[in-house]
Amino acid sequence: MAALTSRRARIAVAVLVVVVLVAAPLFLPAIVNQSLVRIGVYAVAVLGLNIVMGYTGQVNLGQIFFLGLGAYVTAYGVTHGWNIVLVFVAAAVITGIVGLLVALAAARLGGLAIAMVTIALPIVGVPLAKRLDTFTGGSQGTSAIFSNAPDWSGLFNDQWQYYIVLLVAGVGFLLARRLVRGKYGRAFAVVKGNESVAASMGVSPYWTKVLAFTIASVFGGASGFLYMAAVQYTSPETLSFGHSISLLAAMVIGGAGSIVGSLIGGAYYIVVPQLTNAVDPNLTTISQGVILLAVLFLLPDGLVSLPRVLRRLTRRGTAARAGGALPAGAPSATEKHHSTTGTPPHHAPAQVQIPDAAPEAPEKTERHGRS
Amino acid sequence: METFIQLVVDGLSTGSIYAALALAIVLVNQATGLINFAQGGLAVLSAYIAYAFVQAGLPLLAAVLLAIVLSFCLGALVERFLMRRFERGDPDTAVVVTIGLLTLVTGIVAVLWGYNNLQFPSLFPLSSVHVLGAVVSVRSLATTVTIVAIMALLQLLFLRTKLGLALRAVADNPASSALSGLPVGRLLMVGWGLAAALGAVAGALVGPQLTLTPGMLDGALVYALAAVILGGLDSPIGAVAAAWGIGVLENLVAVYVPLIGHDLKIAVPFALIFVILLLRPQGLFGRKVVVRV
């Protein structure tokens, strides 16, 4: 019975959320809409990063490269008069192919070496974008205007852009949710936990990593398309290394291995620089570093775990919740950072756990229910 | 031919800079099992500290030595109060912490000293000598010699001393090391301190050539990481050899392959890595590791 009501409640909340999301831009001022649009853009990029890093455990410092590539493909397609759906498909597929090629080499590296290879992507990408000026417009950058509201819609540009982002990001988030909760999500979790165990279970660590990386780059390409929809201009600066680090910070601060965390990460990416710039532009870098370290110190699972941590602090001792199977996963997800898992081969069995896919569901409904 | 020799010599001297950072990365990895992305940032901070001492009127050599000692303490403190919290956990989280540290240190340097280029005095004379028709500056020669000496010392430290053995043991398996009576925490602090001191040496060697800016070692860090991948995370000699190879190769390619040129030469080491990985999955010097489940 409890399951039934919670299911109904979840559907009701979902419908409510959709209605609010669809109606919101009609009432909000343009500046807020623009911020929301950019949050959506980066949430999709962070979501891709989360799939390869949060869920599969492969540190990826090159996600911004795929955003930039997607943006350039979009600009190229739009300026050459392609159909806009074709442009989107091209942005996703071409970045996916590039991501696949990179992954075929990078995933051969064990452990942290993949991080050292992916760092090359933005660093090589910037001079490459300057060099290929026939496609990219060189240092000047290139612009593509396809996201102005058509006359029949009666909307303002910011509202129209909002709906483009909402549509793409919404579909992306639903697809990602299905992915990480299904068969591949379990494969990701086992590979993250221990590659030897994964291999012994018949899950190929190599191909799982390649798959996760490729999917992440497709999301990067899609976010590049959205970036062009929101900003209408891109230059080599878009894919600079500093932005890649910010993207990674956003993912960790939002919550690694969490779908909702990706959305929080996108919001962090947009909102915090605005705030720190308002205080003192010189301190932006410092505050980013401090915030990142502070979150890792206090909330190793990111901001998304804040309600869970608060609840644990307020209700210490009464950890058991109604709902039977669900609580088992929750503590293991939060405690994994305190356990001695630093030496993977020796603690193999303890590390294999289904990701916090299961506990995330009630978390999410409670979050929305509260707000 | 003279151009060629000149390019090779220049490549070796820039390669030495990458080598210094690569050695620091190998050192932290040997001592803690981590990749430290903040290595370049800490080295930049050390160079600025030395610069501040010079500005305060200290002789250059004393300023650099003082900066090295301070950097050792700083590295040890970073380990004790920041990294220790994450060492037992997920290695990916620890790497993200070092990235946060890089952001933080770069920001601190920028606020304290600004983004303008500052002129750092050279430790070595700026005169040059002729070797086989190529002009070799005494500075780059001395830089290379210093790096070779440090590499030899590190190799000795890790393979011939009790401290080195203990450092390797702690990196390999902290739990067993602790059970064997090794002071794991203190050894980790020493490892980080040594790496930071090495970074200070790198900063002092590179400072005059690059002039001080908060991001002066970002490029070098990337080359150093490439060198570490190519040369092997567990081999100081391999890392240095790879760093020199990359330095020479990128110089030659930049001049002789116009398609790549100076702006894209940073892609060379990574193109090399990709090709090698596709042909030889375990890495150039890597062994196949068999893990028991």
Side-chain angles (χ1 to χ4, degrees), chain A residues 53 56-59 61 101-102 104-106 108-109 111-113 115-117 119-121 123-124 127-128 130-131 192 194 196-197 200 206 241 245 248-249 252 282-283 285-290 292-293 296-300 336-348, chain B residues 25 33-35 37 81-82 85-93 95-104 106-108 110-111 115 171-175 218 221-222 225-226 228-229 233 258-264 266-267 270 273-274 277-283 291-293:
Chain A
M53 206 172 143
T56 320
Q58 308 300 314
V59 180
L61 294 169
L101 291 177
V102 172
L104 285 176
R108 295 212 192 258
L109 289 161
L112 294 167
M116 303 196 282
V117 171
I119 199 177
L121 289 174
I123 281 167
V124 174
L128 201 63
K130 286 181 183 163
R131 176 66 77 81
K192 181 183 184 181
N194 187 320
S196 313
V197 171
S200 73
Y206 178 68
F241 178 55
I245 290 191
L248 177 97
V252 172
N282 288 320
L283 295 180
T285 323
I286 288 193
S287 45
Q288 265 198 350
V290 169
L292 178 58
L293 293 178
L296 283 167
F297 244 95
L298 302 171
L299 293 168
K336 70 181 175 208
H337 291 274
H338 308 296
S339 62
T340 53
T341 49
T343 50
H346 308 282
H347 294 273
Chain B
I25 291 169
L34 278 181
I35 312 272
F37 281 99
F81 291 104
L82 184 67
R85 172 94 167 71
F86 302 99
E87 257 148 16
R88 293 295 167 85
D90 193 351
D92 296 344
T93 314
V95 167
V96 176
V97 172
T98 69
I99 291 170
L101 189 61
L102 172 68
T103 319
L104 180 64
T106 311
I108 290 174
V111 166
Y115 286 99
D172 191 49
N173 191 334
D218 289 356
L221 178 72
V222 175
L225 290 170
V228 166
I229 298 175
L233 263 170
L259 182 70
I260 290 174
H262 281 281
D263 52 340
L264 274 181
I266 198 161
F270 291 100
I273 288 173
F274 274 21
L277 283 176
L278 289 176
L279 298 178
R280 205 182 136 76
Q282 66 270 41
V291 185
R292 257 186 25 201
V293 179

Side-chain angles (χ1 to χ4, degrees), chain B residues 110-204:
Chain B
V111 166
L112 288 180
W113 285 284
Y115 286 99
N116 295 332
N117 294 33
L118 299 175
Q119 197 60 51
F120 190 83
S122 174
L123 277 169
F124 306 110
L126 291 173
S127 56
S128 50
V129 290
H130 288 264
V131 180
L132 294 172
V135 184
V136 185
S137 75
V138 173
R139 185 175 69 190
S140 52
L141 214 58
T143 306
T144 310
V145 170
T146 314
I147 295 301
V148 174
I150 293 172
M151 179 186 75
L153 280 176
L154 273 186
Q155 196 76 3
L156 276 180
L157 171 77
F158 276 118
L159 297 181
R160 293 273 180 274
T161 65
K162 278 204 159 156
L163 175 66
L165 181 65
L167 285 172
R168 281 190 291 149
V170 167
D172 191 49
N173 191 334
S176 303
S177 309
L179 288 175
S180 320
L182 289 175
V184 173
R186 237 178 300 159
L187 284 167
L188 289 176
M189 282 172 77
V190 169
W192 273 81
L194 281 176
L198 194 55
V201 175

Side-chain angles (χ1 to χ4, degrees), chain B residues 14-47:
Chain B
T14 39
S16 296
I17 295 163
Y18 311 151
L21 269 186
L23 279 177
I25 291 169
V26 169
L27 184 56
V28 163
N29 186 268
Q30 286 282 61
T32 64
L34 278 181
I35 312 272
N36 182 8
F37 281 99
Q39 202 71 65
L42 290 172
V44 172
L45 180 62
S46 309

Side-chain angles (χ1 to χ4, degrees), chain A residues 271-285 287-288 291:
Chain A
V271 175
V272 168
Q274 284 179 357
L275 290 179
T276 52
N277 267 331
V279 178
D280 182 353
N282 288 320
L283 295 180
T284 305
T285 323
S287 45
Q288 265 198 350
I291 291 173

